[in-house]
């Protein structure tokens, strides 16, 4: 157990034994003030409960801790804060423990399924998909590190009106174009026709409006939209020509997606397709009608009434029998719990779908599925650029492939300006540019709390100073250089050493790694890991700049500081890996 948790547990014991206060938690913080002490305990919550002065309570609690432990050397009460001075051997023992256990956790014996990505097959992945993929993948990595078994999954939105829009546009305007004939990634080619459809659709709407037809009516009567709706019906009726075109164009898209995922560094254990699960959803609609959970309107459409739940009525099946998103999401959820022994299902989906998931979860509860209480929507804010919002239909999105390439190019330019990669082969340099560039992109996105909307600035993300991945990766590379100069590949340190304040700070952060991982798993927030590793790097750099390592005249001190550096590099690497970010030995 790390030092901070030891103190917190001992304080809880004392509060129960001495004051009969059960369930009261006092905040324990690393002491970052100029006052003496390793930890600070906030006394103020006890003042109101026990009706004593902060100083009196601080002195009482300090004495109790000193008597009840063998590691509190002294204390100081300053303005309602209790500062504890701990014995050196406690830090040495913590260091000895870390040498053999940096982050091992007990298995939770629970399986969590994490859904992310889940793109439409009518356009390439863009910046919004990047946040989704990076967030979902990182959450899965963190849950795994916290002891859970994890299944990473996605459901591909491979059917529906939006898919038919690209298909119809290609059929009308494609002239047989393929990814091979145009040397273009398949997802980009199909995306071009999605944009083309929107252009043609708007033209037809304007033509109808010029004839005196109201805009809302024109949107429904535009010939190209009517053709698209017919194509969807033909697809659902298994028209062989429509199905063949659908399979061909989807295959182009999947090949393109796989290239993007590989460069992004994300992967999946399972993949589902809406074209298969929407049928199961229709069976659930039938079941819900029989149970009286759903009702049918005069136009034959099926609805659920959630007004008693503070929501509204929700369409589940159109009058013509075609599915909506909710239909297939119901079927997909049931299939996942039927086919997998999972205890929790996390949907990584943007906050514009908050209402959708409220409805989904309530419908599943109404249908009697007990596991509906174990569904969670990991809702995240949208990503914007300095130029504003993106729009897929208008083709004003930031393409994920283009952005990753831009990050690579920026990292390459920075590295060449610094000129520190001489002696590496071209392949090693290329690998470094890729790791640093994509690391900058991932960290900039993941360091922000998932719930918050974010503004992505590519230039700021590749800065070698401040809270960025290159700054963290550079510290890792600095440690590798230090260890290389030492000539040591194995490290053993004496227990006969007195730690100074900066060494303690690094050690305390290293010892909190498991706690941070667990908190990040509970909160489903990679931002907690990102901020932790940034704090660790800042603490280590302060230690590095103010303490001689290889030039110290005491061999025990040299060995200890090298070993502390080695452990720091290991935790940096582990933390970055949870964010899907690699490390390099030279920058």
């Amino acid at each position: 157990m790390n030092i901070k948790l030891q103190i917190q547990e001992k304080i809880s014991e004392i509060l129960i034994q001495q004051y009969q206060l059960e369930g009261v938690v006092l905040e324990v913080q690393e002491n970052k003030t100029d006052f003496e002490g390793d930890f600070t305990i906030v006394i103020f919550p006890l003042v109101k409960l026990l009706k004593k002065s902060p100083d009196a309570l601080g002195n009482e609690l300090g004495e109790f801790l000193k008597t009840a432990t063998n590691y509190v050397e002294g204390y100081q009460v300053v303005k309602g804060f209790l500062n504890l001075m701990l014995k050196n051997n406690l830090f040495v023992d913590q260091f000895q423990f870390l040498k053999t256990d940096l982050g091992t956790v007990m298995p939770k014996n629970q399986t969590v399924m994490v859904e992310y990505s889940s793109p439409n097959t009518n356009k390439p992945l863009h910046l919004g998909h990047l946040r989704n993929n990076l967030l979902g993948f990182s959450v899965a990595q963190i849950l795994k590190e916290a002891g859970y078994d994890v299944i990473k999954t996605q459901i591909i939105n491979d059917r529906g009106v939006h898919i038919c829009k690209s298909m119809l546009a290609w059929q009308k305007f494609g002239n047989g174009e393929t990814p091979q004939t145009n040397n273009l990634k398949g997802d980009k080619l199909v995306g071009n026709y999605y944009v083309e459809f929107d252009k043609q659709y708007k033209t037809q709407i304007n033509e109808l409006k010029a004839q005196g037809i109201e805009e809302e009516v024109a949107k429904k009567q535009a010939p190209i939209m009517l053709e698209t709706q017919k194509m969807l019906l033909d697809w659902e009726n298994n028209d062989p020509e429509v199905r063949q075109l659908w399979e061909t164009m989807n295959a182009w898209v999947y090949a393109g997606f796989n290239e993007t995922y590989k460069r992004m560094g994300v992967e999946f254990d399972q993949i589902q397709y809406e074209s298969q699960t929407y049928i199961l959803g229709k069976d659930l609609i039938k079941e819900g009608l029989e149970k009286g959970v759903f009702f049918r309107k005069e136009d034959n459409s099926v609805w659920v009434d959630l007004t008693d739940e503070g929501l509204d009525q929700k369409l589940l099946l159109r009058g013509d029998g075609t599915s909506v998103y909710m239909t297939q999401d119901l079927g997909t959820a049931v299939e996942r719990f039927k086919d997998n022994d999972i205890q929790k299902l996390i949907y990584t989906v943007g906050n514009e779908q908050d209402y959708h998931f409220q409805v989904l979860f309530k419908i599943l509860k109404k249908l009697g599925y007990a596991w509906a209480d174990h569904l969670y929507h990991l809702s995240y804010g949208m990503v914007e650029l300095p130029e504003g919002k993106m729009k897929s239909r208008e083709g004003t999105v930031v393409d994920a492939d283009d952005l990753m390439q831009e990050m690579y190019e920026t990292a390459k330019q920075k590295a060449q300006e610094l000129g520190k990669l001489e002696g590496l082969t071209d392949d090693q340099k290329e690998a470094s540019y890729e790791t640093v560039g994509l690391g900058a992109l991932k960290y900039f996105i993941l360091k922000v709390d998932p719930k918050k909307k974010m503004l992505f600035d590519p230039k700021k993300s590749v800065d070698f100073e401040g809270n960025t991945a290159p700054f963290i990766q550079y510290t890792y590379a600095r440690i590798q250089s230090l260890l290389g100069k030492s000539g040591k590949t194995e490290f053993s340190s004496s227990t006969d050493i007195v730690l100074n304040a900066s060494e303690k700070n690094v050690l305390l952060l290293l010892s909190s790694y498991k706690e941070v991982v667990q908190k990040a798993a509970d909160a489903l927030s990679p931002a907690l890991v990102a901020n932790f590793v940034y704090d660790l790097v800042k603490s280590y750099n302060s230690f590095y700049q103010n303490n001689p390592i290889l030039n110290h005249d005491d061999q025990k001190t040299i060995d200890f500081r090298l070993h502390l550096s080695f452990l720091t590099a290991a935790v940096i690497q582990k933390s970055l890996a949870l964010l899907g970010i690699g490390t390099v030995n030279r920058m």
Side-chain angles (χ1 to χ4, degrees):
M1 183 186 298
N2 72 44
I3 296 171
K4 184 177 176 181
L5 291 178
Q6 287 184 58
I7 296 170
Q8 284 178 324
E9 284 198 2
K10 184 55 67 176
I11 290 172
S12 295
E13 287 178 23
I14 291 171
L15 291 179
I16 294 169
Q17 294 168 2
Q18 302 297 331
Y19 302 107
Q20 291 73 56
L21 293 176
E22 195 159 357
V24 177
V25 178
L26 293 186
E27 189 177 358
V28 179
Q29 306 168 341
E30 286 87 355
N31 182 22
K32 296 180 180 178
T33 69
D34 294 331
F35 295 105
E36 190 178 359
D38 300 302
F39 285 93
T40 295
I41 301 166
V42 183
I43 304 296
F44 294 107
L46 295 180
V47 173
K48 192 173 182 180
L49 291 170
L50 298 175
K51 298 186 177 5
K52 293 184 179 182
S53 73
D55 284 357
L57 282 169
N59 282 300
E60 280 184 17
L61 188 56
E63 280 301 320
F64 286 137
L65 280 167
K66 194 172 178 182
T67 304
T69 69
N70 62 356
Y71 52 76
V72 176
E73 193 164 55
Y75 64 89
Q76 184 183 50
V77 182
V78 183
K79 298 179 180 178
F81 295 93
L82 172 60
N83 294 333
L84 296 180
M85 285 74 84
L86 306 182
K87 292 180 180 178
N88 184 75
N89 68 289
L90 186 64
F91 291 96
V92 174
D93 290 346
Q94 184 72 67
F95 177 67
Q96 294 298 112
F97 177 75
L98 286 175
K99 285 160 60 175
T100 57
D101 182 10
L102 269 180
T104 306
V105 294
M106 293 293 291
K108 297 283 196 302
N109 296 318
Q110 291 184 46
T111 301
V112 181
M113 177 175 279
V114 182
E115 178 201 289
Y116 56 95
S117 195
S118 302
N120 297 331
T121 57
N122 63 334
K123 55 192 174 186
L125 303 179
H126 55 60
L127 177 55
H129 292 114
L130 266 171
R131 187 175 198 189
N132 182 298
N133 275 273
L134 299 179
L135 178 58
F137 181 77
S138 181
V139 163
Q141 296 294 93
I142 289 167
L143 287 168
K144 189 174 181 181
E145 183 76 352
Y148 295 93
D149 294 318
V150 178
I151 299 172
K152 299 186 291 292
T153 190
Q154 67 166 324
I155 178 163
I156 296 179
N157 304 306
D158 64 338
R159 61 163 296 282
V161 170
H162 51 296
I163 308 301
C164 291
K165 288 177 180 179
S166 295
M167 291 165 57
L168 186 68
W170 182 87
Q171 202 174 52
K172 283 179 167 295
F173 315 113
N175 297 315
E177 179 185 22
T178 70
Q180 291 73 31
T181 60
N182 211 17
N183 194 26
L184 190 66
K185 277 182 78 213
D187 51 336
K188 296 192 192 310
L189 184 145
V190 173
N192 289 343
Y193 286 101
Y194 184 63
V195 174
E196 182 61 32
F197 175 93
D198 192 59
K199 289 178 182 175
Q200 298 292 333
Y201 181 42
K202 285 178 177 175
T203 298
Q204 291 185 5
I205 291 170
N206 289 331
E207 288 172 353
L208 291 172
K209 284 168 65 179
Q211 297 171 24
I213 298 174
E214 292 184 3
E215 184 169 356
E216 288 307 310
V217 177
K219 286 180 179 179
K220 294 177 182 177
Q221 292 183 354
I224 198 167
M225 178 56 75
L226 294 174
E227 286 183 80
T228 303
Q229 290 168 344
K230 181 182 181 302
M231 180 176 274
L232 177 59
L233 278 172
D234 289 341
W235 183 93
E236 294 205 2
N237 290 324
N238 287 309
D239 179 277
E241 184 179 335
V242 171
R243 283 278 177 156
Q244 181 59 53
L245 176 60
W246 171 75
E247 288 177 4
T248 298
M249 293 183 70
N250 274 352
W252 294 344
V253 174
Y254 297 149
F257 282 173
N258 288 338
E259 281 186 50
T260 305
Y261 289 142
K262 184 177 180 181
R263 188 169 193 183
M264 202 185 297
V266 303
E267 59 192 11
F268 305 92
D269 302 309
Q270 293 183 8
I271 298 177
Q272 290 174 297
Y273 301 89
E274 282 193 2
S275 56
Q276 298 167 3
T277 59
Y278 88 102
I279 299 171
L280 177 59
K282 284 188 174 182
D283 293 338
L284 287 177
I285 302 303
K286 184 180 178 183
E287 176 190 326
L289 283 168
E290 291 170 354
K291 289 182 176 180
V293 175
F294 307 146
F295 67 94
R296 197 182 291 277
K297 288 191 176 182
E298 292 179 3
D299 65 353
N300 208 38
S301 61
V302 179
W303 296 70
V304 63
D305 188 353
L306 297 173
T307 51
D308 59 338
E309 304 270 5
L311 302 173
D312 59 8
Q313 294 185 353
K314 181 71 176 177
L315 174 68
L316 300 178
L317 206 64
R318 297 187 186 95
D320 62 6
T322 55
S323 303
V324 294
Y325 273 122
M326 189 61 70
T327 322
Q328 48 231 25
D329 279 354
L330 288 166
T332 304
V334 170
E335 188 172 78
R336 284 170 171 170
F337 276 87
K338 184 182 74 176
D339 294 346
N340 300 279
D341 181 16
I342 55 177
Q343 284 67 58
K344 188 172 186 177
L345 170 55
I346 298 167
Y347 294 88
T348 310
V349 182
N351 58 15
E352 78 278 8
Q353 294 295 328
D354 284 353
Y355 185 79
H356 175 86
F357 283 100
Q358 287 180 47
V359 172
L360 174 66
F361 299 167
K362 287 189 182 297
I363 291 174
L364 287 165
K365 285 192 75 170
K366 279 181 172 290
L367 288 172
Y369 293 103
W371 44 257
D373 288 329
H374 305 293
L375 303 174
Y376 183 81
H377 174 207
L378 176 50
S379 174
Y380 62 89
M382 293 295 97
V383 186
E384 292 186 8
L385 294 154
E387 297 80 24
K389 293 183 179 180
M390 303 179 291
K391 296 180 181 178
S392 297
R393 279 175 294 185
E394 296 177 12
T396 59
V397 299
V398 175
D399 184 274
D401 294 317
D402 293 345
L403 182 55
M404 287 191 287
Q405 183 63 25
E406 180 185 338
M407 299 301 293
Y408 158 84
E409 296 288 354
T410 304
K412 181 176 182 178
Q413 180 185 345
K414 289 251 183 184
Q416 290 176 343
E417 288 171 1
L418 292 171
K420 294 186 177 181
L421 298 183
E422 288 85 353
L424 296 184
T425 66
D426 288 343
D427 286 346
Q428 289 171 329
K429 289 178 182 177
E430 290 295 318
S432 178
Y433 306 148
E434 186 80 358
T435 301
V436 174
L438 295 194
L441 168 66
K442 293 176 182 182
Y443 187 85
F444 199 91
I445 287 175
L446 293 174
K447 73 178 181 180
V448 178
D449 185 300
K451 296 180 180 64
K452 293 181 180 177
K453 181 173 70 174
M454 68 168 294
L455 185 71
F456 179 72
D457 188 329
K459 292 178 181 176
K460 286 184 179 178
S461 70
V462 193
D463 198 334
F464 276 62
E465 298 294 332
N467 192 5
T468 66
F471 174 66
I472 295 166
Q473 290 169 318
Y474 181 74
T475 301
Y476 177 86
R478 166 184 276 177
I479 295 174
Q480 297 310 306
S481 175
L482 171 71
L483 298 178
K485 289 176 183 176
S486 76
K488 289 182 175 288
T489 54
E490 294 184 4
F491 302 91
S492 58
S493 303
S494 170
T495 57
D496 181 23
I497 187 167
V498 178
L499 279 66
N500 63 30
S502 63
E503 291 166 334
K504 287 179 182 178
N505 286 338
V506 175
L507 185 59
L508 288 173
L509 280 165
L510 292 176
S511 67
S512 67
Y513 170 76
K514 279 197 286 189
E515 181 188 359
V516 169
V517 169
Q518 188 58 57
K519 284 182 178 178
D522 293 341
L524 303 178
S525 176
L528 297 178
V529 175
N531 291 316
F532 158 75
V533 71
Y534 176 55
D535 286 341
L536 173 60
V537 163
K538 285 192 298 181
S539 180
Y540 178 82
N541 284 334
S542 176
F543 153 75
Y544 180 87
Q545 289 162 10
N546 295 295
N547 295 275
I549 300 179
L550 297 179
N551 295 330
H552 201 279
D553 54 10
D554 179 61
Q555 190 59 46
K556 289 181 182 178
T557 300
I558 293 173
D559 290 342
F560 168 75
R561 290 177 178 173
L562 283 173
H563 206 150
L564 186 67
S565 299
F566 172 80
L567 293 177
T568 300
V571 172
I572 290 172
Q573 191 171 51
K574 284 168 71 71
S575 301
L576 288 179
L578 296 181
L579 305 175
I581 298 171
T583 52
V584 291
N585 291 342
R586 285 180 60 184
M587 282 180 71

